[in-house]
Amino acid sequence: QVQLVESGGGLVQAGGSLRLSCAASGGTFSSYVMGWFRRAPGKEREFVARISWSGGTTYYSDSVKGRFTISRDNAKNTVNLQMNSLKPEDTAVYYCAARARGEVEYNYWGQGTQVTVSS
């Protein structure tokens, strides 16, 4: 069983930056694909970014490509999301998630951290 705890959310002005972190415990972190998702008020949860178990491959949604960077440190069991050039439409609760190798669905989720971007 993997536990995920996000941190780093907050209030920022448009054009600013935030760095989200997700700390994992209770599993073999390096064996999981890690992802970030978000849910804006009144909207469905949407994919933001994911990173392979080794960190060698990353993938982003079109809405954040070029502005957000996902990274991981397998020695520290953490995955980060650096968010630059933030826009009001990035306002959402951001969730960290883990997907075991060979699985299609993400098996484990954090509780979420709020990101609010003011215009």
Side-chain angles (χ1 to χ4, degrees):
Q1 192 80 356
V2 176
Q3 291 81 45
L4 303 172
V5 179
E6 303 95 335
S7 61
L11 173 64
V12 64
Q13 288 190 328
S17 298
L18 279 176
R19 183 177 177 87
L20 305 184
S21 292
C22 174
S25 62
T28 305
F29 180 73
S30 60
S31 68
Y32 289 90
V33 171
M34 298 301 297
W36 285 96
F37 293 76
R38 67 186 182 187
R39 188 193 302 270
K43 295 188 176 181
E44 298 280 320
R45 183 176 65 200
E46 67 171 343
F47 166 79
V48 174
R50 69 169 180 263
I51 188 165
S52 63
W53 60 272
S54 68
T57 303
T58 58
Y59 185 78
Y60 300 91
S61 68
D62 288 343
S63 61
V64 308
K65 196 176 299 181
R67 300 188 298 120
F68 291 11
T69 302
I70 188 171
S71 62
R72 68 188 295 163
D73 186 336
N74 286 344
K76 296 182 178 179
N77 289 0
T78 57
V79 59
N80 302 303
L81 186 68
Q82 178 65 43
M83 307 186 295
N84 299 328
S85 302
L86 283 161
K87 305 175 181 180
E89 52 264 42
D90 294 318
T91 295
V93 177
Y94 283 72
Y95 299 90
C96 171
R99 189 179 83 201
R101 284 193 214 180
E103 295 288 338
V104 176
E105 301 293 330
Y106 283 82
N107 314 88
Y108 305 102
W109 294 84
Q111 83 289 348
T113 186
Q114 176 71 47
V115 171
T116 303
V117 184
S118 63
S119 57

